[in-house]
Amino acid sequence: MIYIKMLGEDYEQDIRPLVKAFYPEEELNIVHEDIPSAELYGMSSDSFMGRLLLKLEPNRFFLSFEDGKTEIFAEEDFTQLVEGAYKNEGLPDRRMYRNYLHRKLYRMLSEATGKKLPWGTLTGVRPTKLALERRLQGELPETIANYFKTEYLCSEEKTALCLKVVENESRLLAGITKQDSYSIYIGIPFCPSICLYCSFSSYPVKQYEAYVEPYLEALFREIDFAAGCLSDKKLISIYIGGGTPTTLSAEQMRRLLRKVKQSFDFTYLREWTVEAGRPDSITREKLMVLKEEGITRISINPQTMQQRTLDLIGRRHTAEQIKEAFCLARECGHDNINMDLIVGLTGEGKQDIEATLSEIDELKPDSITVHTLAVKRAARLNAEKERYQSLKSHEASAMLAVCEAYMAGHSYAPYYLYRQKNMSDNLENVGYAKEGKEGLYNVLIMEERHTILALGAGGSTKFMFADEDRLERVENVKNVKEYIARIDEMIARKQNFLSQYQEFL
């Protein structure tokens, strides 16, 4: 356990993930003292860590081990820095100051642990967003690269990856403005079974079968409301995710897709994705419904082609079924199919991802999204971690390197990237695609380029205030039963928000 005693609260969200990145196996317990942060320039804290004592004081940082014999100091006159950083009370100055603190803390933790993080001080979900902003403003790639390495201590490898992603994102986003466009997300929160690592609000469809029709009825009511609330904007993309949307019957899926087509203006629509996901939920009839109703992109997600791992993580299908579902989708005319893989799954190593890629190579998907395992608090893998400790993968970095080499050698280019908390080896998720087969919605939501109207249980609508370049969230409840019972409230939440702010959106 790592105990962190915070004097003031301004930088808790900066200190916490950086410390956690160096000590991923440790739990953090943060306690606050009621001392006004202004008195301490908003940055002082004491952190007490088992074998290590970390102190951040107004005029210096220092680390010392418990025995008191080994100390690492980084003394500075922070007063002048603080006065300069806060003189205009503006975000750019505050960001620079925060980054300065990050670099000092990073270097000391790195010296104390002997570790370097591939993304340096960057601990957020969207590292590419920083680079994309600069690229769209006309900065040269080499200037951005230097900024990432000096400001965030980002490695050469990850800086290069980031820039490759940003160049492809810039091309995909051409002509899409924050002010007059939006996308739709529709959640179907049912699955054939719940995977060991899953933390989403998903429900096993056999146990919740009685709720599927009432859920669709509630969802259709929310769609009716949504149909008119952003009619002054251009609908660019639609993503139907989950859960596993193909747990719906073919008839239910057709009703849903037709409801969407009847409700929204498709004049400017560039992409319509359905996450088919699990092969044990896919049939020829469902695939034909998707094709006939105009779906342009689907995902069939193996995660791994190793049968022992599929069994262990609770995916009740075979590796052979994955191949059969993919080939069936091709037969039905689907020409833009994504496949998701996860590196770092329980019990897997470098040889396993090599074998999985060899199997995937026979299918030749149009895009491949490579996820690094991130174990969330709500996942069964976290709740039962002692049970699976001996099977924990320690080769995530090597596995990701295998994937990167494969993609480069098979004409898959990285086009979007994001990170999550508690990722193995502090790594990332990357979407790779053949040219012209990228998932536009993935870029739009990850780079926060416009409003995303989210419908269904667990939906998190993000309204874009383009003039201020900021987002405001309006959440739906996650629980399926609560969503059905409180659908009027879910609609009213968006209604109330729009009545107050629509002229600014």
Side-chain angles (χ1 to χ4, degrees), residues 456-459 475-480 482-483 486 489-490 493:
E475 311 276 357
N476 281 353
V477 293
K478 295 180 179 180
N479 184 279
V480 164
E482 287 291 304
Y483 174 80
R486 297 166 61 187
E489 180 189 337
M490 301 304 100
R493 288 180 181 183

Side-chain angles (χ1 to χ4, degrees), residues 22 63 105-117:
F22 279 97
L63 296 177
L105 180 56
Y106 174 93
R107 287 182 172 121
M108 301 190 72
L109 289 170
S110 180
E111 187 173 347
T113 62
K115 292 169 60 175
K116 290 186 177 180
L117 306 179

Side-chain angles (χ1 to χ4, degrees), residues 317-486:
H317 60 77
T318 66
E320 194 59 34
Q321 281 179 289
I322 296 167
K323 296 178 182 179
E324 291 170 357
F326 188 96
C327 293
L328 188 58
R330 287 292 199 221
E331 288 177 19
C332 292
H334 290 280
D335 59 2
N336 193 350
I337 306 176
N338 174 73
M339 301 191 90
D340 281 5
L341 302 179
I342 300 178
V343 302
L345 282 171
T346 306
E348 289 206 347
K350 184 178 175 182
Q351 290 183 334
D352 294 293
I353 195 65
E354 290 173 341
T356 288
L357 288 169
S358 178
E359 298 277 347
I360 294 298
D361 189 56
E362 297 176 12
L363 302 174
K364 296 180 171 44
D366 304 287
S367 59
I368 302 174
T369 306
V370 181
H371 298 268
T372 303
L373 182 67
V375 182
K376 300 294 185 66
R377 184 178 301 176
R380 190 155 51 91
L381 183 55
N382 183 57
E384 303 174 17
K385 56 187 174 185
E386 287 79 12
R387 178 180 174 186
Y388 300 101
Q389 191 65 31
S390 63
L391 295 174
K392 184 176 179 180
S393 175
H394 297 283
E395 298 187 30
S397 294
M399 295 169 77
L400 199 61
V402 168
C403 290
E404 289 173 358
Y406 174 86
M407 301 304 165
H410 291 77
S411 302
Y412 291 97
Y415 74 95
Y416 89 107
L417 181 155
Y418 70 103
R419 304 178 68 213
Q420 295 169 278
K421 292 180 180 178
N422 305 325
M423 296 192 84
S424 299
D425 292 354
N426 204 240
L427 295 167
E428 68 280 338
N429 304 321
V430 184
Y432 296 89
K434 301 283 189 179
E435 187 173 353
K437 302 296 185 179
E438 302 88 353
L440 178 60
Y441 174 86
N442 293 328
V443 177
L444 290 165
I445 192 168
M446 286 304 160
E447 300 301 345
E448 300 181 326
R449 299 305 298 175
H450 65 190
T451 292
I452 304 288
L453 191 59
L455 312 176
S460 178
T461 293
K462 299 177 182 179
F463 287 110
M464 168 61 69
F465 290 75
D467 291 344
E468 303 171 50
D469 196 26
R470 68 179 179 87
L471 294 168
E472 289 281 350
R473 294 174 181 263
V474 178
E475 311 276 357
N476 281 353
V477 293
K478 295 180 179 180
N479 184 279
V480 164
K481 297 178 186 178
E482 287 291 304
Y483 174 80
I484 295 168
R486 297 166 61 187

Side-chain angles (χ1 to χ4, degrees), residues 29 33 42 63 78 107 112 117 131 135 157 173 215 221 256 286 302 331 406 435 481 500:
N29 185 4
E33 280 199 357
L63 296 177
F78 281 105
R107 287 182 172 121
L117 306 179
R135 190 72 187 100
E157 177 191 10
L173 292 170
Y215 179 80
R221 289 184 59 192
L256 172 60
K286 292 178 188 180
E331 288 177 19
Y406 174 86
E435 187 173 353
K481 297 178 186 178
Q500 187 173 359

Side-chain angles (χ1 to χ4, degrees), residues 119-406:
W119 286 96
T121 65
L122 289 168
T123 56
V125 172
R126 298 173 174 85
T128 51
K129 187 177 180 180
L130 296 165
L132 182 63
E133 288 173 356
R134 291 173 172 267
R135 190 72 187 100
L136 293 176
Q137 290 169 5
E139 277 195 29
L140 296 174
E142 53 266 33
T143 304
I144 299 171
N146 184 62
Y147 175 76
F148 262 61
K149 286 181 279 189
T150 57
E151 188 76 1
Y152 300 107
L153 308 180
C154 192
S155 70
E156 290 274 358
E157 177 191 10
K158 299 307 177 187
T159 298
L161 173 61
C162 185
L163 290 176
K164 287 179 186 176
V165 169
V166 164
E167 287 304 306
N168 285 315
E169 286 181 327
S170 301
R171 172 176 52 83
L172 293 169
L173 292 170
I176 300 175
T177 63
K178 293 183 180 182
Q179 184 68 52
D180 68 351
S181 65
Y182 77 108
S183 291
I184 292 172
Y185 175 85
I186 298 173
I188 305 297
F190 303 103
C191 272
S193 63
I194 307 305
C195 296
L196 187 66
Y197 54 79
C198 182
S199 62
F200 293 112
S201 299
S202 298
Y203 299 83
V205 70
K206 285 189 178 179
Q207 296 176 32
Y208 283 79
E209 190 172 2
Y211 292 95
V212 176
E213 275 298 326
Y215 179 80
L216 287 176
E217 290 174 13
L219 178 61
F220 285 10
R221 289 184 59 192
E222 193 175 16
I223 289 173
D224 285 337
F225 161 74
C229 70
L230 294 174
S231 56
D232 59 330
K233 297 183 185 297
K234 301 172 183 176
L235 177 59
I236 301 298
S237 69
I238 303 171
Y239 192 101
I240 301 179
T244 305
T246 42
T247 52
L248 298 180
S249 70
E251 183 272 334
Q252 288 168 333
M253 179 64 76
R254 193 181 295 277
R255 278 196 284 130
L256 172 60
L257 300 183
R258 288 185 175 178
K259 180 68 174 179
V260 172
K261 289 196 292 186
Q262 292 163 6
S263 302
F264 299 98
D265 180 1
F266 277 36
T267 302
Y268 301 98
L269 192 74
R270 289 173 49 177
E271 176 185 277
W272 192 359
T273 297
V274 170
E275 193 171 347
R278 296 274 292 267
D280 46 342
S281 70
I282 295 172
T283 65
R284 179 181 291 275
E285 187 181 8
K286 292 178 188 180
L287 289 167
M288 288 306 300
V289 167
L290 297 179
K291 187 64 181 175
E292 291 165 1
E293 297 301 332
I295 298 305
T296 62
R297 183 175 180 271
I298 64 172
S299 283
I300 297 174
N301 301 329
Q303 317 302 11
T304 177
M305 295 296 281
Q306 306 308 296
Q307 191 60 52
R308 73 179 193 284
T309 310
L310 291 171
D311 295 339
L312 180 65
I313 64 179
R315 290 179 75 88
R316 296 173 184 171
H317 60 77
T318 66
E320 194 59 34
Q321 281 179 289
I322 296 167
K323 296 178 182 179
E324 291 170 357
F326 188 96
C327 293
L328 188 58
R330 287 292 199 221
E331 288 177 19
C332 292
H334 290 280
D335 59 2
N336 193 350
I337 306 176
N338 174 73
M339 301 191 90
D340 281 5
L341 302 179
I342 300 178
V343 302
L345 282 171
T346 306
E348 289 206 347
K350 184 178 175 182
Q351 290 183 334
D352 294 293
I353 195 65
E354 290 173 341
T356 288
L357 288 169
S358 178
E359 298 277 347
I360 294 298
D361 189 56
E362 297 176 12
L363 302 174
K364 296 180 171 44
D366 304 287
S367 59
I368 302 174
T369 306
V370 181
H371 298 268
T372 303
L373 182 67
V375 182
K376 300 294 185 66
R377 184 178 301 176
R380 190 155 51 91
L381 183 55
N382 183 57
E384 303 174 17
K385 56 187 174 185
E386 287 79 12
R387 178 180 174 186
Y388 300 101
Q389 191 65 31
S390 63
L391 295 174
K392 184 176 179 180
S393 175
H394 297 283
E395 298 187 30
S397 294
M399 295 169 77
L400 199 61
V402 168
C403 290
E404 289 173 358
Y406 174 86

